[in-house]
Amino acid sequence: MKKLLILLVLFNLNLTNSYSLEADVFVQSTVNRAAETLSSGLTKEERMDKLKSIALDTVDIRGIGFYSLGVHRKSASDEQKNEYEKVFTEYFLQSFSSRLAEYSNPIINVDSKKKINENYTIVSSTLAATDKRPAVKIDWRIYTKNKEQPLIRDLIIEGLSLARTQKEEFNSIILSADGDINALISKLRDFSNS
């Protein structure tokens, strides 16, 4: 009985301690999940579905979406923000999964990590060279405010931030429509439905 009580106490202590996932381990685990999906014998559609599931688990899609909206977020109505968030999520998942599904077993190795502050860690990695392409440096901006569930906020490929590039593209679309956010929402919806 005494042993059972000690085991229960230890088990409860384990439950109350928070589990912290290191950013570099998180990135390597995410990469491994994606590589396993890409090297499987699944159809392209099945690979895309699995990749979307991985993205929903590991990417801060909402955070990236509102970052990409930039200053226009302040002028958007609550209804526009809600519609944008929904359409951006669909756009992001479709874009992400269709691009990645073309790869066959990419090998990405985590090289190092650098804690920027309590909320962010940069994880540096390399996409291994093949006979068809050179090695590519990829830095992952990981949001680590919640230590139990880090999330990807940006990829910086050979020094180019994908989130910043997307933000500039979205800004251009909105400005060319005289500041109308609905123009961007419409373009994202069209992409997702194509």
Side-chain angles (χ1 to χ4, degrees):
M1 183 66 171
K2 197 174 195 179
K3 284 183 185 179
L4 179 61
L5 183 61
I6 291 171
L7 284 174
L8 286 173
V9 169
L10 289 174
F11 181 72
N12 281 334
L13 285 175
N14 267 349
L15 288 179
T16 57
N17 289 339
S18 65
Y19 175 73
S20 178
L21 183 59
E22 291 297 321
D24 54 342
V25 173
F26 165 72
V27 168
Q28 192 66 65
S29 170
T30 302
V31 165
N32 291 347
R33 286 174 64 194
E36 184 179 310
T37 297
L38 293 169
S39 64
S40 66
L42 301 173
T43 66
K44 182 178 180 182
E45 289 74 26
E46 291 169 330
R47 287 194 310 269
M48 286 176 64
D49 285 343
K50 285 196 173 274
L51 291 169
K52 287 177 183 179
S53 177
I54 292 168
L56 287 168
D57 289 345
T58 61
V59 179
D60 183 3
I61 298 171
R62 184 174 195 267
I64 293 169
F66 282 120
Y67 171 81
S68 298
L69 195 53
V71 297
H72 304 288
R73 180 180 179 187
K74 292 178 183 173
S75 61
S77 68
D78 288 343
E79 183 180 324
Q80 285 174 317
K81 288 178 191 174
N82 290 335
E83 183 62 20
Y84 169 78
E85 184 177 355
K86 182 179 134 205
V87 171
F88 179 81
T89 299
E90 293 168 5
Y91 160 81
F92 180 89
L93 292 173
Q94 182 68 24
S95 175
F96 166 82
S97 64
S98 63
R99 286 183 198 161
L100 209 53
E102 299 300 325
Y103 282 90
S104 58
N105 199 17
I107 298 170
I108 297 178
N109 297 307
V110 169
D111 303 321
S112 63
K113 69 178 175 179
K114 181 180 179 185
K115 187 173 182 175
I116 304 301
N117 56 41
E118 286 303 310
N119 294 336
Y120 288 101
T121 299
I122 299 293
V123 176
S124 297
S125 68
T126 305
L127 173 62
T130 67
D131 55 347
K132 296 180 182 176
R133 68 166 190 270
V136 178
K137 298 295 288 174
I138 303 172
D139 291 333
W140 307 68
R141 186 175 176 88
I142 307 299
Y143 186 59
T144 53
K145 186 173 183 178
N146 179 349
K147 306 283 187 243
E148 297 172 34
Q149 178 155 16
L151 293 169
I152 300 165
R153 278 263 174 104
D154 192 11
L155 292 181
I156 300 115
I157 300 175
E158 295 291 338
L160 182 66
S161 162
L162 297 184
R164 186 174 298 131
T165 301
Q166 184 169 267
K167 180 179 180 180
E168 291 167 0
E169 181 184 340
F170 285 12
N171 183 51
S172 176
I173 292 168
I174 293 169
L175 290 179
S176 68
D178 296 323
D180 185 2
I181 293 167
N182 292 317
L184 174 62
I185 291 171
S186 179
K187 275 199 181 291
L188 297 180
R189 187 180 295 115
D190 290 347
F191 176 86
S192 299
N193 292 333
S194 63

